[in-house]
């Protein structure tokens, strides 16, 4: 699951939350159609307000709903507010809620949840409602140690987060979050508690271990001793003031080793140790995981890799020793045979080896993971075909790096032998091509006087690819392979032939690039640059939401689709304008993370425009507003300089002018990632309220969609032409 979580963390949504006090007053009536379990359901109920420690969460684009006498909320709206990370697994229909050292897993339509792999039962399962993930607020809140209070008279759910966390012990007695039409005040006798991992004997479910038998005598865990150095014995000592009688350990997601100590008070001062002196352990975190019915101190080892490990008691039983097996790289030699060079590397365990090529100068980089080095710093290479010399260093706490300078472009193959690993270095099929990472330049020796006019470009920036294709088959001249670039712009360049036999160079981007090609006759230089080095005016446009995130929904509209329709039309208008270069965060039903949208603007553009639709639980609010945040570099800007505020006013005037909607003005919003994490002028256009029937009718019309796109195009031209932008 660890790789999946890392991938999913790249697609987190960011909730826009403003804290206001919960008030004792009845709210509006929610009247909407809910689509779940493959059918539509009419839903009418007084709105439910969600608070965290008495502060109301407002601005949710979809309201909470009550099903089976339990309140379900949009997953991120509450739990990101209290510091949880939320991730979605599309393959398994599971939502993950990570809080400190705890992982909660809920499967859609299953009434069994899991806390750290231990099951707990819920009255109502998580559901996909109107294409949004809704989760039971009580079940998850209590699983992470929060209390939940239900004010039936005012229909308020209050999640008490700042209180001293107590264990979920399965006892009933909480008031229910009453149903759609009645507040019946029934007691909640369910055990939505997700107990801690407190096995008391034998092997744990996760392959961990436990020691001793349960005792009522409490101890204090008062310190953790880390290894003395990176090259010393990789053992950690969890120390107590008395004998440890019971503990469990298990590996979670192959990224964390968890040690739970029973009957133990947490008395460690440094609860997040990052100076671990370890090539295996990135950090050691500790906390009081449980207080009732038995106190549990939890120690979590964040792992760089999955090594051999052992957890055992010391001889006096006052320490738990957590030992990790680390490879020691102790010898290296070089030999040449049959036109190939071999770098032979010896370690006391099997080596985890990765290799890649760098150019200018040509060199082979060999990384040995989860290892420490006792090698010499330099090695000479005599009578070798390709290798000139070798350097060896401890690159970081977990990596030994060996760099072999070579005489030309080569390929490196890893060969496992009995007791050692060989890196076989031989002639590469790539030739007559090199890459200079300092200037971001790919140089081609001009095969048969290849002209730059015979080169075509494919800029697939949304997938991080820029492809340069030659008109003809140059396999024999340039070969086939991959150049690792490892710089600000590119990670690698792949050289191959396409299905038509034409040779291409596919650059994998670290950021959006443009290309300058210079034909010197004997060589062609392909230089990768920032778009602003080529284009005078660059704009990034953004269709808010996408894919799993529908945004608001009302009157038969999904916000993500309306946003996309406007942006697609706006993109066409800007693409046809030779004076403006346009990029879009999405042109289909995809979901770039909000941080990635902001980063795309910062690294590429002079202006960022995000298109959204507004919504409310009431059908009354209507009109257009534009949101912005004043960036630090805009304070005190001269009058002719484009700022976010000026851009917001221009966009508002243009959209209201064509839609005839109510002018709700421009508004400062410092809580939105696409505004507060951008450094170029950035605005978010709330085109209209799709919850309002009249506004929604306009957004159902192609005529109005085109009119909004045309208005925004005109406003963008004014912003980029009439104001100083660089």
């Amino acid at each position: 699951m660890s790789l999946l979580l890392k991938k999913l963390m790249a697609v987190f949504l960011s909730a826009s939350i403003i804290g206001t006090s919960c008030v004792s007053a009845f709210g509006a009536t929610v009247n909407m159609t809910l689509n779940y379990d493959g059918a539509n359901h009419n839903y009418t109920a007084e709105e439910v307000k969600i608070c965290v420690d008495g502060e109301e969460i407002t601005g949710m684009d979809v309201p909470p709903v009550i099903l089976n006498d339990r309140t379900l909320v949009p997953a991120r709206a509450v739990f990101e507010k209290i510091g949880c990370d939320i991730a979605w697994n599309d393959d398994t229909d599971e939502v993950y809620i990570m809080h400190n050292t705890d992982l909660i897993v809920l499967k859609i339509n299953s009434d069994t949840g899991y806390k750290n792999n231990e099951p707990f039962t819920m009255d109502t399962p998580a559901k996909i409602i109107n294409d949004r993930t809704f989760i039971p607020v009580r079940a998850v809140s209590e699983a992470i140690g929060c209390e939940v209070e239900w004010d039936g008279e005012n229909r308020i759910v209050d999640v008490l987060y700042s209180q001293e966390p107590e264990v979920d012990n399965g006892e009933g007695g909480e008031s229910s979050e009453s149903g759609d039409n009645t507040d019946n005040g029934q007691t909640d006798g369910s055990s939505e508690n997700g107990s801690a991992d407190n096995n008391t004997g034998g092997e744990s479910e996760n392959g961990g271990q436990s020691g001793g038998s349960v005792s009522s005598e409490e101890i204090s865990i008062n310190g953790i001793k880390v290894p003395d150095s990176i090259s010393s014995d990789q053992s950690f000592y969890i120390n107590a003031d008395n004998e440890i009688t019971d503990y469990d350990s298990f590996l979670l997601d192959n990224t964390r080793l968890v040690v739970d100590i029973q009957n133990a008070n947490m008395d460690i001062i440094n609860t997040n140790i990052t100076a671990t002196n370890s090539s295996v352990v990135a950090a050691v975190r500790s906390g009081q995981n449980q207080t009732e019915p038995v106190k549990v101190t939890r120690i979590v080892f964040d792992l760089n890799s999955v090594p051999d490990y052992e957890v055992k008691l010391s001889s006096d039983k006052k320490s738990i020793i957590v030992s990790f097996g680390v490879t020691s790289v102790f010898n290296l030699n070089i030999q040449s045979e049959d036109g190939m060079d071999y770098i032979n590397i010896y370690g006391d365990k099997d080596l985890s080896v990765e290799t890649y090529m760098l150019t200018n100068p040509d060199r082979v980089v060999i990384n040995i993971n989860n290892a420490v080095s006792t090698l010499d710093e330099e090695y000479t290479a005599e009578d070798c075909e390709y290798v000139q010399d070798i350097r060896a260093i401890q690159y970081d706490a977990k990596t030994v790096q060996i760099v072999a300078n070579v005489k030309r472009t080569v390929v490196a193959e890893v060969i496992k032998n009995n007791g050692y690993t060989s890196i076989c270095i031989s002639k590469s099929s790539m030739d007559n091509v090199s890459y200079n990472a300092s200037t971001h330049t790919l140089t081609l020796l001009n095969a048969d006087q290849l002209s730059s006019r015979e080169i075509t470009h494919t800029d697939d920036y949304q997938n991080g690819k820029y492809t340069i294709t030659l008109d003809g088959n140059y396999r024999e001249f340039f070969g086939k392979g991959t150049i690792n670039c490892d710089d600000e712009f590119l990670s690698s360049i792949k050289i191959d032939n396409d299905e038509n036999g034409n040779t291409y160079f596919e650059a994998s981007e670290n950021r959006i690039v443009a290309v300058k090609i210079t034909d010197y006759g004997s060589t062609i230089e392909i230089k990768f640059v920032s778009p602003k080095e080529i284009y005078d005016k660059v704009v990034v446009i953004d269709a808010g939401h996408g894919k799993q995130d529908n945004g608001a929904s009302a009157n038969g509209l999904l916000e993500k689709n309306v946003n996309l329709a406007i942006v697609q039309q706006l993109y066409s208008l800007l693409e046809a304008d030779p004076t403006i270069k346009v990029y879009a965060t999405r042109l289909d039903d995809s979901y770039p993370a909000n941080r990635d949208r902001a980063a795309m603007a910062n690294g590429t553009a002079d202006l960022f425009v995000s298109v959204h639709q507004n919504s409310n639980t009431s059908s009354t609010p209507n009109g257009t507003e534009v949101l912005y945040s004043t960036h630090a570099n805009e304070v005190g800007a001269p009058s002719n300089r484009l700022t976010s505020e000026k851009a917001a006013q221009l966009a508002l005037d243009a959209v209201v002018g064509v839609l005839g909607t109510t002018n709700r003005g421009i508004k400062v919003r410092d809580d939105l990632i696409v505004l507060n994490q951008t450094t170029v002028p950035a605005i978010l256009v709330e085109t209209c309220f799709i919850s309002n029937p009249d506004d929604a009718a306009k957004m159902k019309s192609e005529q109005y969609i085109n009119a909004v796109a045309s208005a925004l195009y005109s406003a963008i031209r004014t912003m980029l032409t009439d104001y100083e932008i660089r």
Side-chain angles (χ1 to χ4, degrees):
M1 189 186 300
S2 60
L3 291 177
L4 174 60
L5 281 173
K6 290 177 182 177
K7 177 181 177 183
L8 293 171
M9 294 304 172
V11 295
F12 283 168
L13 302 179
S14 297
S16 302
I17 299 168
I18 304 175
T20 58
S21 297
C22 282
V23 294
S24 297
F26 287 106
T29 298
V30 176
N31 188 353
M32 60 191 299
T33 299
L34 305 181
N35 181 275
Y36 61 90
D37 297 342
N40 290 327
H41 306 265
N42 293 325
Y43 179 84
T44 301
E46 292 176 9
E47 71 171 336
V48 174
K49 296 177 180 178
I50 307 296
C51 298
V52 174
D53 291 332
E55 295 295 312
E56 183 181 356
I57 299 176
T58 62
M60 288 188 286
D61 51 9
V62 289
V65 298
I66 292 182
L67 300 180
N68 301 327
D69 288 343
R70 290 293 179 267
T71 300
L72 279 74
V73 297
R76 292 179 172 83
V78 174
F79 294 99
E80 285 189 346
K81 174 75 172 177
I82 59 180
C84 296
D85 289 327
I86 314 296
W88 169 254
N89 183 348
D90 197 42
D91 295 330
T92 61
D93 286 343
E94 291 176 332
V95 59
Y96 305 133
I97 302 99
M98 302 184 69
H99 181 260
N100 295 333
T101 58
D102 293 321
L103 173 64
I104 313 299
V105 180
L106 306 181
K107 188 175 180 65
I108 298 301
N109 291 329
S110 172
D111 59 6
T112 300
Y114 292 86
K115 176 179 178 179
N116 302 331
N117 290 328
E118 287 291 326
F120 61 92
T121 302
M122 304 176 292
D123 288 348
T124 295
K127 286 191 174 293
I128 301 296
I129 302 176
N130 294 353
D131 291 330
R132 298 294 300 277
T133 303
F134 279 71
I135 61 177
V137 65
R138 176 180 295 279
V140 177
S141 297
E142 292 183 345
I144 64 173
C146 298
E147 292 183 0
V148 178
E149 292 184 351
W150 165 249
D151 179 351
E153 180 180 357
N154 298 302
R155 297 179 70 79
I156 296 173
V157 176
D158 197 357
V159 179
L160 304 181
Y161 175 65
S162 61
Q163 43 84 36
E164 177 88 17
E166 295 184 0
V167 70
D168 308 309
N169 57 16
E171 295 177 359
E174 295 290 346
S175 299
S176 85
E177 303 143 9
S178 62
D180 296 0
N181 301 312
T182 60
D183 299 323
N184 56 21
Q186 69 185 23
T187 58
D188 179 1
S190 66
S191 177
E192 304 171 13
N193 58 356
S195 59
D197 300 291
N198 56 359
N199 303 328
T200 56
E203 293 292 315
S204 78
E205 185 176 345
N206 293 290
Q209 55 194 1
S210 56
S213 58
V214 177
S215 168
S216 60
E217 182 179 353
E218 290 185 358
I219 60 173
S220 291
I221 304 301
N222 52 30
I224 298 175
K225 182 180 180 300
V226 303
D228 293 331
S229 69
I230 189 71
S231 59
S232 64
D233 175 44
Q234 294 286 288
S235 293
F236 292 75
Y237 289 77
I238 304 170
N239 298 321
D241 65 351
N242 211 329
E243 289 189 4
I244 299 170
T245 57
D246 190 57
Y247 67 92
D248 305 314
S249 68
F250 58 93
L251 195 62
L252 183 62
D253 306 331
N254 287 336
T255 62
R256 285 161 288 173
L257 175 63
V258 178
V259 179
D260 282 344
I261 307 167
Q262 316 294 329
N263 306 310
N265 292 294
M266 213 290 291
D267 197 23
I268 297 172
I269 296 175
N270 185 358
T271 59
N272 186 21
I273 301 172
T274 56
T276 62
N277 290 333
S278 173
S279 62
V280 179
V281 179
V284 185
R285 295 176 286 124
S286 52
Q288 190 75 57
N289 182 252
Q290 182 174 302
T291 58
E292 295 290 344
V294 62
K295 289 185 176 179
V296 175
T297 292
R298 170 165 288 185
I299 313 296
V300 178
F301 295 83
D302 293 324
L303 306 178
N304 292 316
S305 58
V306 187
D308 295 331
Y309 70 90
E310 180 183 31
V311 182
K312 65 180 181 181
L313 275 177
S314 61
S315 58
D316 63 3
K317 298 185 179 181
K318 290 185 178 181
S319 297
I320 295 174
I321 306 172
V322 182
S323 300
F324 296 95
V326 179
T327 301
S328 175
V329 182
F330 60 85
N331 192 19
L332 179 153
N333 60 52
I334 312 160
Q335 66 184 85
S336 187
E337 183 178 331
D338 297 330
M340 292 177 281
D341 295 341
Y342 295 86
I343 302 174
N344 303 316
I345 309 170
Y346 298 80
D348 61 355
K349 297 183 180 67
D350 190 36
L351 302 182
S352 172
V353 177
E354 298 173 339
T355 66
Y356 58 90
M357 278 292 305
L358 293 176
T359 59
N360 293 315
D362 290 328
R363 56 206 187 275
V364 177
V365 180
I366 305 162
N367 285 337
I368 305 173
N369 300 313
N370 189 32
V372 293
S373 173
T374 58
L375 298 174
D376 296 335
E377 291 183 0
E378 296 183 0
Y379 292 82
T380 58
E382 298 178 358
D383 301 323
C384 285
E385 189 76 21
Y386 308 108
V387 178
Q388 294 176 310
D389 55 68
I390 293 176
R391 293 176 290 109
I393 61 170
Q394 186 74 48
Y395 181 76
D396 59 26
K398 63 177 180 177
T399 309
V400 174
Q401 186 173 88
I402 299 168
V403 179
N405 289 313
V406 293
K407 302 170 185 176
R408 53 158 296 153
T409 304
V410 297
V411 292
E413 179 187 3
V414 178
I415 301 173
K416 295 288 187 179
N417 298 299
N418 186 19
Y420 65 99
T421 298
S422 291
I423 312 301
C424 176
I425 297 176
S426 57
K427 179 181 178 181
S428 170
S429 65
M430 291 189 299
D431 214 344
N432 300 309
V433 59
S434 65
Y435 182 78
N436 188 325
S438 62
T439 62
H440 319 298
T441 302
L442 181 71
T443 300
L444 310 180
L445 294 182
N446 202 346
D448 300 327
Q449 298 302 303
L450 170 69
S451 170
S452 59
R453 293 188 299 274
E454 298 170 326
I455 297 176
T456 58
H457 303 245
T458 304
D459 186 1
D460 185 15
Y461 61 89
Q462 290 182 327
N463 292 309
K465 304 291 184 184
Y466 197 112
T467 303
I468 298 160
T469 304
L470 309 182
D471 184 17
N473 186 341
Y474 291 85
R475 168 68 61 82
E476 185 175 346
F477 198 77
F478 294 120
K480 174 183 177 181
T482 299
I483 300 172
N484 284 277
C485 306
D486 196 27
D487 63 23
E488 175 190 1
F489 288 166
L490 306 181
S491 59
S492 64
I493 299 175
K494 177 183 177 182
I495 306 172
D496 206 341
N497 280 26
D498 62 21
E499 58 187 11
N500 297 317
N502 295 318
T503 298
Y504 68 84
F505 302 84
E506 182 186 81
S508 295
E509 300 173 328
N510 292 325
R511 52 173 287 185
I512 290 178
V513 299
V515 168
K516 287 181 177 179
I517 296 183
T518 306
D519 190 343
Y520 291 106
S522 60
T523 61
I524 289 179
E525 286 190 356
I526 302 170
K527 187 172 184 179
F528 297 89
V529 299
S530 167
K532 288 198 274 190
E533 287 192 38
I534 294 181
Y535 306 106
D536 294 330
K537 305 176 183 69
V538 185
V539 60
V540 168
I541 58 177
D542 171 49
H545 306 284
K547 200 175 181 180
Q548 77 277 7
D549 177 16
N550 287 329
S553 59
N555 291 305
L557 294 174
L558 291 180
E559 182 188 354
K560 69 172 183 177
N561 295 338
V562 179
N563 300 341
L564 182 60
I566 294 171
V567 165
Q568 286 174 331
Q569 180 63 19
L570 175 58
Y571 189 84
S572 297
L573 294 171
L574 288 164
E575 275 270 273
D577 188 332
T579 67
I580 299 174
K581 177 61 178 176
V582 60
Y583 296 94
T585 60
R586 70 180 184 100
L587 289 170
D588 56 16
D589 190 22
S590 56
Y591 180 79
N594 287 328
R595 287 178 177 80
D596 293 337
R597 302 181 203 223
M600 181 176 174
N602 293 339
T604 306
D606 300 300
L607 173 68
F608 176 79
V609 178
S610 184
V611 176
H612 285 249
Q613 310 303 308
N614 226 330
S615 183
N616 194 279
T617 55
S618 168
S619 62
T620 302
N622 63 91
T624 302
E625 61 192 39
V626 180
L627 314 179
Y628 73 97
S629 177
T630 299
H631 302 144
N633 58 11
E634 296 175 344
V635 177
S639 59
N640 65 337
R641 182 82 176 180
L642 183 66
T643 63
S644 298
E645 182 178 7
K646 291 170 185 173
Q649 190 63 58
L650 288 166
L652 177 69
D653 293 342
V655 174
V656 170
V658 299
L659 284 182
T661 46
T662 300
N663 188 330
R664 296 171 59 90
I666 62 174
K667 299 179 180 180
V668 175
R669 286 290 296 272
D670 293 328
D671 58 329
L672 303 177
I673 286 176
V674 295
L675 300 182
N676 65 30
Q677 292 194 14
T678 42
T679 56
V680 299
I683 59 174
L684 189 152
V685 182
E686 295 280 15
T687 312
C688 68
F689 279 78
I690 61 173
S691 53
N692 177 272
D694 293 335
D695 279 5
K698 293 180 177 180
M699 290 300 96
K700 291 179 180 179
S701 163
E702 184 178 352
Q703 173 188 347
Y704 278 106
I705 292 289
N706 293 341
V708 172
S710 181
L712 287 174
Y713 165 67
S714 178
I716 290 169
R717 274 190 60 88
T718 299
M719 296 173 201
L720 297 179
T721 302
D722 294 356
Y723 290 86
E724 180 184 324
I725 55 176
R726 297 182 189 171

